Amino acid sequence: MRVCFRSSVRPQLIDEYRRRHAAVWPEMLRALKSAGWNNYSLFLGEDGLLVGYVECDDFDAVRARMALTEVNARWQAEMATLFNNPDQAPDEGFQVLEEVFNLDHQLAVAESPQ
């Protein structure tokens, strides 16, 4: 499944957010991959809009697998102060967006024999 989500970084802390993501802890990277986060990307707007994209078997399942790791708890605590709601772990505040168009899917439907 493909999942896109949004969140918000505090605008005055965007530079710090970028700095931390330029060198994510290797153990966090390995935990994400092991938990099933594939083709994972984050996109950040100048206003703090954060958009994420991930391919996974099941979004709730990959989030649950990450929640079981000690490194995720540490990472979420480190990152929480950079978000608009510092009392909530950033990965708990993701707002999943509905996919309304997929080029490959529509091409396959359009090109399938009637």
Side-chain angles (χ1 to χ4, degrees), residues 3-9 17 21 28 31-32 35 37 40 42 50 52 54 59-96:
V3 179
C4 183
F5 57 87
R6 71 171 302 272
S7 191
S8 297
V9 175
Y17 184 90
H21 278 81
M28 182 64 173
L32 285 162
W37 292 68
Y40 181 31
L42 293 170
L50 181 69
V54 64
F59 192 53
D60 291 334
V62 297
R63 290 176 63 188
R65 288 193 288 267
M66 280 305 292
L68 296 174
T69 67
E70 181 274 335
V71 68
N72 188 62
R74 284 190 292 123
W75 180 262
Q76 297 305 320
E78 288 280 326
M79 297 304 295
T81 60
L82 304 179
F83 286 80
N84 288 330
N85 185 356
D87 297 328
Q88 180 182 44
D91 63 351
E92 293 174 6
F94 292 163
Q95 297 173 325
V96 175

